[in-house]
Amino acid sequence: MDIQPFCGWRFASNDISRHIAPPYDILDQADKDKLLEKHEHNIVAVDLPHVPPKELGPEEVYKDSATLLEQWQKSGVMKQDSKPAVYLYEQSYNWAGETYSRRAMLAGVRATPFGKDIIPHEHTFAGPKADRLKLTTTTKTQLSPIFGFYDDPIGVTSKLASVMPDQPDLQGELNGVQEKLWVIKDQNIINEIKKALAETPIYIADGHHRYTTAMNYRDALRDAGLIGADHEANYVLFALVARDDPGLLVLPTHRLIKGLGKDFSLEKLRKALPSFVWTQCPTLDVDLGNADGYLKPLGQHAMAFVRGEEMWAGRLTDPQAMLDVAPDHCKAWRGCRNPARTDS
């Protein structure tokens, strides 16, 4: 990856609790209204002009976002750092009775096609990309970072922490998560990190549509002859977390499947998946608030299948089965172990 420091825009207040919001694509109109009730200068007013953001909205809502952002900048609600920096970002939260802290480096990363340097795991869709491209084009701003993880050869966040001020430049709380951010302008540290990560790829955990949008925006400017190779539009804002960060939890994903028909049964499913080891589970014993804790003793990446009052846990034991059904995906994607925790 090719990282670059940047002059970030941030809220002028040190306590940003009422200014921050969850990721835009998990919010509905009621969520947006509640955030704006707390403070009219909540970022959701700019970052979520159209609800739901699954398709292109009316032209005027994006223009309103751009106008509002410009007003905040001119009035001093937001301020821009005068010198390029990278940013140390920390989130502390509780899960299943334990407290975790996750640290990320916020930096620009040169936009390149998916492949060697930037590795995706999702497909993207035209509607969400059209929404984000219109917002980026009107505001000329990257409003939220891509969430990526990477192999950390030098302990990046520890190096940033070694030169950070005693007190964070910004801090706040949102939905029980403590948020802190430090501005790091030490050029020697930045250069050391930049050199160490030059050949390190990034795995996108979240933000495929925004990353693709950033490339499309860059390409449009470049094709029009408006920017060169070193223009800031060539770089995408990332929150980069080391893959061995203890706060990088990967929790179960829950899915409801409809339309299976009367003939479907978990017995038939088990027979159709001989590469799995199966364990029958008493559903009444499940703590739905800690499903990962319940499944952990059954083996890494065990999955629960529930139909009515019947539940079985299945765990894939034959990696060849994944190769047979998904030969086009990379080894880490197919692996029986978490790609965020393995060298495979």
Side-chain angles (χ1 to χ4, degrees):
M1 72 179 93
D2 175 9
I3 69 167
Q4 290 290 342
F6 64 100
C7 298
W9 282 93
R10 49 194 174 94
F11 286 101
S13 172
N14 176 262
D15 186 349
I16 56 172
S17 298
R18 297 189 296 168
H19 298 302
I20 53 180
Y24 75 96
D25 55 355
I26 67 170
L27 303 176
D28 58 23
Q29 188 63 50
D31 297 323
K32 180 178 179 179
D33 293 341
K34 289 179 181 178
L35 289 165
L36 291 175
E37 285 176 4
K38 294 181 179 180
H39 204 292
E40 62 178 333
H41 296 151
N42 188 286
I43 192 60
V44 75
V46 174
D47 198 28
L48 187 57
H50 175 60
V51 183
K54 296 181 179 180
E55 59 185 5
L56 184 65
E59 178 83 18
E60 59 269 18
V61 299
Y62 301 99
K63 291 182 178 179
D64 289 344
S65 281
T67 299
L68 185 60
L69 180 60
E70 184 178 7
Q71 290 174 352
W72 290 1
Q73 292 170 339
K74 289 183 176 179
S75 66
V77 171
M78 302 187 78
K79 63 181 182 180
Q80 186 176 27
D81 289 314
S82 59
K83 295 182 179 180
V86 298
Y87 300 79
L88 178 60
Y89 175 39
E90 180 182 272
Q91 295 175 294
S92 298
Y93 60 97
N94 295 314
W95 177 256
E98 295 187 39
T99 299
Y100 298 88
S101 289
R102 179 174 64 198
R103 281 182 166 179
M105 175 179 65
L106 296 177
V109 176
R110 183 177 288 277
T112 60
F114 289 139
K116 177 183 176 182
D117 295 324
I118 308 294
I119 301 173
H121 74 272
E122 292 180 356
H123 297 291
T124 58
F125 301 94
K129 288 188 287 189
D131 167 73
R132 290 298 99 179
L133 182 58
K134 178 61 72 172
L135 182 61
T136 304
T137 302
T138 53
T139 62
K140 297 180 173 60
T141 304
Q142 295 180 30
L143 293 165
S144 57
I146 314 303
F147 181 13
F149 64 90
Y150 65 100
D151 288 315
D152 187 355
I154 62 169
V156 167
T157 56
S158 294
K159 287 189 174 293
L160 295 176
S162 71
V163 296
M164 72 183 186
D166 292 336
Q167 297 298 320
D169 294 277
L170 297 177
Q171 58 187 332
E173 183 272 335
L174 178 66
N175 297 334
V177 179
Q178 301 298 318
E179 316 269 356
K180 296 180 181 180
L181 184 137
W182 292 264
V183 182
I184 309 296
K185 300 178 181 178
D186 189 306
Q187 195 60 52
N188 291 330
I189 290 290
I190 294 173
N191 288 340
E192 181 181 356
I193 292 172
K194 180 179 174 67
K195 182 178 179 180
L197 300 182
E199 302 299 325
T200 301
I202 301 171
Y203 296 85
I204 293 183
D206 185 58
H208 293 76
H209 289 91
R210 283 170 285 146
Y211 182 80
T212 306
T213 294
M215 286 199 299
N216 292 340
Y217 179 68
R218 184 275 314 276
D219 291 347
L221 294 177
R222 184 183 60 191
D223 294 345
L226 298 177
I227 65 170
D230 294 326
H231 190 275
E232 60 187 359
N234 290 285
Y235 294 87
V236 186
L237 177 60
F238 264 84
L240 297 168
V241 180
R243 71 172 191 172
D244 58 355
D245 188 304
L248 185 61
L249 297 188
V250 181
L251 301 178
T253 300
H254 309 291
R255 292 288 183 264
L256 294 176
I257 303 175
K258 299 180 180 179
L260 293 174
K262 295 181 180 179
D263 293 336
F264 175 83
S265 70
L266 292 183
E267 181 181 2
K268 290 182 178 180
L269 177 66
R270 299 196 315 275
K271 291 180 179 179
L273 298 175
S275 297
F276 279 68
V277 171
W278 295 94
T279 304
Q280 188 170 18
C281 307
T283 56
L284 296 179
D285 290 344
V286 177
D287 177 6
L288 295 180
N290 186 22
D292 55 328
Y294 179 87
L295 291 170
K296 187 175 181 178
L298 301 177
Q300 192 171 31
H301 297 302
M303 298 176 285
F305 299 82
V306 182
R307 183 173 175 84
E309 294 298 317
E310 183 182 7
M311 183 172 80
W312 287 79
R315 181 170 59 86
L316 180 66
T317 58
D318 180 10
Q320 180 64 34
M322 287 298 295
L323 180 61
D324 293 341
V325 299
D328 296 334
H329 285 280
C330 67
K331 186 177 180 180
W333 189 94
R334 296 193 309 264
C336 290
R337 296 182 295 168
N338 189 336
R341 303 285 183 181
T342 179
D343 292 328
S344 65

